[in-house]
């Protein structure tokens, strides 16, 4: 009947927590007020408040356009709309220095709890309870607003799985399975907790430098308004806005495996900060992503590592003893969600967060149960791209929920803190400087840099082994 959703919250949660491939939910959010959150509406709600936009060049280079090579402006949504609609420069304010035909703009990772802190009633416009997560609303969600071409370099999130609601315009997702990690040449420079970047520019891969990328398998889907994409744990993704204005909302769902991932991230942070901080500051290597507040000290990083290990061991003990966690309250869940990626901000240390409450105990379905996943018009698989199709080809999901048509012609959240602007360039028509993540010296092709060493030391496979050895030591 009208208004009846295709899946119950319990069934939806079972799918989200068990499905190990990306899929699109259709007809699940038709009654969400958040579907009205287009840029014009949000502009009226914000009443002239400025937010930060990241600007990048539309020209496609062989090197990924990392956030360290972008420019940043503070602007209102009215100014963003005027710019994206081609209105006179006097109306677009800070954007007037950037030619719309050459640049894209992205207001990404905007925490709804922060930008609408004086309008908490708006949090209820987002109802993740329909997906089986009671108590999760806009307060535990993130807002993304972009222009055509806006994107984030290909990366994977160390923590959780991801639910993404498309509100306005369309976004094209290029997803790669966890098993393709070595083909994507992972790097931690620029460093950002819980984000492992790929050295490959998915939009224009340099196959001479990264030949193994040919062996990767891309799953491509065009997400339309009203659809929700499930991005499973550790799936690589490159996302691009393909319409003049796009709005999407996401929420990261905590998983039991995140405890070990936090240990690995703590080890990575210690190594990266220790080695990069030892370099000459005048070298000018912008190794810290703007989303990171600062390079924390060795002492703080060691405390963070110990807390991560303690949380992991506590969860393991609880799992072994079989103690139920059903007593978790909605308030505890909200605490988890608001302290997602980075737990070093004052009042948001690991010891101040109850990690993984309700989700930690969700049973893992058996193989035969996975075969019962109800794929159909309301749950559409994101299928692998045909090998004969260019990697940037698209697979569209129509709004009416039709089956995907192949080969057509956004870690948990980050800290609720103001970005440290490493690059704040407002010079008109200044090309964003592209940074080679390897930063190899030009004087000698055989010279090894600090980043070369780091690429090996903090490779995910190495860090995973170190974490296992470290956790084994704590049990002796």
């Amino acid at each position: 009947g009208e208004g009846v959703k295709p899946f119950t919250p319990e069934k939806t949660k079972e799918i989200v927590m068990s499905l190990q491939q990306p899929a699109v939910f259709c007809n699940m959010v038709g009654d969400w007020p958040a579907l009205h959150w287009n840029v014009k509406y949000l502009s009226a709600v914000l009443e002239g408040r400025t937010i930060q936009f990241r600007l990048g060049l539309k020209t496609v280079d062989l090197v990924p356009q990392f956030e360290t090579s972008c420019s940043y402006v503070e602007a209102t949504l009215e100014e963003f709309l005027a710019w994206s609609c081609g209105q006179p420069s006097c109306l677009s304010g800070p954007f007037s220095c950037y030619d719309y035909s050459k640049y894209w703009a992205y207001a990404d990772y905007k925490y709804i709890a922060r930008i609408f802190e004086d309008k908490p009633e708006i949090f209820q416009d987002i109802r993740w309870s329909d997906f089986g997560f009671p108590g999760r609303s806009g307060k535990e969600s993130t807002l993304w607003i972009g222009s055509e071409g806006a994107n984030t370099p290909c990366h994977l999130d160390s923590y959780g799985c991801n639910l993404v609601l498309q509100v306005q315009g369309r976004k094209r997702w290029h997803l790669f399975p966890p098993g393709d990690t070595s083909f994507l040449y992972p790097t931690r420079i620029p460093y950002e907790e819980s984000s492992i970047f790929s050295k490959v520019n998915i939009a224009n891969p340099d196959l001479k430098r990264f030949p193994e990328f040919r062996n990767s398998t891309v799953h491509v889907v065009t997400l339309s308004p009203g659809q929700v994409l499930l991005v499973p744990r550790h799936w690589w993704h490159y996302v691009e806005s393909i319409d003049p204005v796009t709005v999407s909302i996401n929420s990261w769902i905590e998983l039991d495996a995140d405890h070990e991932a936090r240990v690995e991230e703590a080890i990575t942070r210690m190594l990266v900060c220790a080695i990069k901080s030892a370099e000459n500051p005048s070298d000018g290597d912008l190794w810290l992503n703007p989303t990171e507040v600062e390079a924390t000290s060795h002492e703080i990083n060691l405390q963070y590592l110990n807390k991560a290990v303690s949380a992991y061991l506590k969860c393991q003990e609880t799992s072994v003893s079989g103690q139920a966690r059903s007593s978790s309250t909605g308030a505890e869940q909200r605490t988890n969600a608001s302290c997602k990626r980075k737990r070093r901000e004052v009042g948001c240390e690991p010891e101040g967060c109850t990690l993984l409450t309700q989700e930690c105990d969700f049973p893992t379905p058996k193989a035969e149960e996975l075969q019962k996943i109800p794929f159909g018009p309301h749950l559409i698989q994101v299928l692998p791209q045909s090998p004969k199709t260019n990697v940037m080809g698209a697979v569209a999901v129509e709004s009416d929920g039709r089956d995907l048509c192949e080969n057509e012609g956004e870690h948990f959240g980050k800290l609720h803190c103001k970005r440290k602007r490493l690059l704040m360039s407002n010079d008109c028509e200044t090309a964003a400087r592209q940074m080679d993540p390897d930063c190899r010296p030009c004087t000698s092709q055989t010279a090894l840099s600090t980043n070369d060493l780091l690429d090996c030391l903090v490779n995910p496979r190495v860090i995973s082994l170190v974490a296992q050895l470290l956790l084994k030591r704590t049990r002796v």
Side-chain angles (χ1 to χ4, degrees), residues 18-20 365-373 375:
S18 63
L19 190 56
Q20 298 302 308
K366 298 179 181 178
E368 57 268 21
E369 294 175 336
L370 292 178
Q371 296 177 0
K372 299 179 182 179
I373 295 293
F375 292 117

Side-chain angles (χ1 to χ4, degrees), residues 269-270 273-274 277 294-303:
R269 169 170 282 273
M270 284 195 71
C273 288
S277 298
E294 61 184 353
T296 45
S297 69
H298 183 78
E299 181 181 4
I300 292 176
N301 291 335
L302 185 59
Q303 293 174 4

Side-chain angles (χ1 to χ4, degrees), residues 12-211:
T12 309
K13 181 176 181 179
E14 179 184 335
I15 294 170
V16 169
M17 302 298 282
S18 63
L19 190 56
Q20 298 302 308
Q21 67 179 82
V24 176
F25 288 93
C26 301
N27 307 312
M28 284 291 293
V29 298
D31 58 345
W32 287 22
L35 286 183
H36 302 293
W37 283 26
N38 56 41
V39 174
K40 187 175 181 180
Y41 169 80
L42 293 173
S43 176
V45 173
L46 286 175
E47 299 175 329
R49 178 175 176 176
T50 62
I51 57 178
Q52 188 182 73
F53 287 84
R54 173 165 57 96
L55 291 109
L57 287 167
K58 289 184 176 180
T59 54
V60 181
D61 198 354
L62 290 174
V63 179
Q65 198 163 175
F66 291 114
E67 294 178 50
T68 49
S69 63
C70 290
S71 299
Y72 294 86
V73 299
E74 295 280 342
T76 65
L77 287 181
E78 292 94 332
E79 292 167 334
F80 169 74
L81 271 178
W83 177 71
S84 63
C85 294
Q87 295 184 21
S89 60
C90 60
L91 300 176
S92 56
F95 291 106
S96 60
C97 289
Y98 300 90
D99 187 340
Y100 179 78
S101 67
K102 298 180 180 179
Y103 288 87
W104 49 258
Y106 210 4
D108 52 0
Y109 275 116
K110 296 296 175 284
Y111 283 87
I112 293 173
R114 182 173 181 179
I115 62 177
F116 297 116
E117 58 187 352
D118 57 339
K119 297 178 174 65
E121 65 278 0
I122 204 172
F123 300 157
Q124 304 311 313
D125 287 2
I126 302 165
R127 304 169 180 173
W128 295 115
S129 57
D130 286 344
F131 284 75
F133 303 99
R136 187 180 293 264
S137 65
K139 191 173 183 181
E140 297 83 23
S141 305
T142 309
L143 183 67
W144 308 69
I145 302 171
S147 67
E148 183 177 0
N151 66 82
T152 299
C154 184
H155 67 284
L156 69 77
D157 301 313
S158 301
Y159 307 145
C161 63
N162 194 2
L163 288 173
V164 187
L165 166 65
Q166 194 61 29
V167 176
Q168 180 180 2
R170 296 169 299 156
K171 277 186 172 179
R172 185 164 294 150
W173 287 72
H174 305 256
L175 301 120
F176 300 84
D180 282 4
T181 293
S182 62
F183 305 148
L184 288 158
Y185 298 85
T187 182
R188 298 312 299 261
I189 302 295
Y191 173 76
E192 174 186 342
E193 184 188 344
S194 81
S195 289
I196 302 176
F197 292 103
S198 169
K199 296 179 187 178
V200 183
N201 185 352
I202 304 302
N204 187 25
D206 185 347
L207 297 179
K208 291 184 178 179
R209 186 176 178 191
F210 307 115

